[in-house]
Amino acid sequence: MDYAQLLKSWPDFSQRITLFIKELGLDTLQLDCDHCALRVNSVDAAERLTTDFEQHGQVISNNMINGRPILIIKLNTPMELDGLKVPCVELPFPSDKLYPQEGWEHVELVLPTNATTCEQLIEDLLKVAPSAQNIIDGKTDIKVKLSSPKGDNERLANPTIAFKQNGICVKVHPQTIEAIIASEQ
């Protein structure tokens, strides 16, 4: 996996993610997409991509999360996702898990809310997207995972709902990645 391959695969990934966001009933909410993320299976690939991305942006966070470095790169020119600007890329270094496919894996959407727990976030999401109730209740083939990932120095709660289907994922959380990074300072 290299930078050129990522750029070449973005239009297909972007189209699949856009259709998934619509299936989730989130397309009409006008949510911001604060970042997209990719997966790699080797430290060598992660280091190469770090060097490549540094030519097109700046590493604004290099944090240990769940025992591995995760970089956030703020791009000089944001990526485009169906009219949305995607200003940052999340580049996790690999863990013990091998991904069946390297490359783009998910996007993260910001639902402006004061939720500090996953339960509150679900409640707030269902207020604006009641059609997501069947998905949350497990009545579809879309997998739902709740988490509250936290870097070593983060001070803001950022509960997350991850929706997964067919090798892609859309995550919803209340805080932007840049606000989380600012909370570490």
Side-chain angles (χ1 to χ4, degrees):
M1 177 58 47
D2 64 27
Y3 185 77
Q5 289 172 307
L6 282 176
L7 289 184
K8 188 176 180 183
S9 67
W10 179 257
D12 177 62
F13 173 75
S14 176
Q15 182 179 30
R16 291 176 61 217
I17 283 288
T18 299
L19 290 172
F20 190 34
I21 289 170
K22 188 174 196 146
E23 183 179 352
L24 294 168
L26 305 177
D27 58 316
T28 60
L29 301 181
Q30 299 178 326
L31 302 177
D32 287 331
C33 181
D34 68 333
H35 71 283
C36 54
L38 51 107
R39 297 292 182 246
V40 295
N41 287 326
S42 74
V43 170
D44 190 48
E47 288 173 345
R48 268 195 324 275
L49 285 170
T50 300
T51 300
D52 289 343
F53 274 112
E54 286 176 328
Q55 303 302 308
H56 303 280
Q58 176 185 0
V59 174
I60 60 172
S61 177
N62 182 348
N63 211 344
M64 291 298 283
I65 300 175
N66 297 329
R68 65 184 173 149
I70 296 185
L71 278 60
I72 304 296
I73 300 109
K74 182 162 186 170
L75 301 170
N76 297 332
T77 304
M79 308 282 288
E80 293 269 342
L81 176 69
D82 194 36
L84 295 175
K85 302 283 187 208
V86 185
C88 297
V89 172
E90 175 184 327
L91 173 56
F93 274 61
S95 63
D96 296 338
K97 180 178 180 180
L98 282 180
Y99 294 94
Q101 183 175 336
E102 292 182 295
W104 301 113
E105 195 254 356
H106 74 261
V107 299
E108 300 203 19
L109 304 177
V110 180
L111 178 67
T113 173
N114 292 321
T116 57
T117 67
C118 291
E119 293 73 20
Q120 290 171 330
L121 183 60
I122 289 171
E123 190 176 304
D124 291 347
L125 176 64
L126 292 176
K127 285 178 190 170
V128 295
S131 61
Q133 185 72 61
N134 283 339
I135 298 167
I136 296 290
D137 291 344
K139 295 179 180 174
T140 70
D141 64 344
I142 298 169
K143 291 186 173 91
V144 178
K145 180 181 175 188
L146 306 177
S147 65
S148 294
K150 194 166 169 65
D152 293 343
N153 298 312
E154 289 175 15
R155 291 179 178 84
L156 283 177
N158 204 25
T160 302
I161 306 168
F163 300 98
K164 296 181 180 188
Q165 185 181 56
N166 299 325
I168 58 173
C169 177
V170 171
K171 296 184 179 186
V172 176
H173 54 108
Q175 305 292 335
T176 67
I177 194 70
E178 292 187 71
I180 294 296
I181 292 167
S183 80
E184 298 171 347
Q185 305 309 315

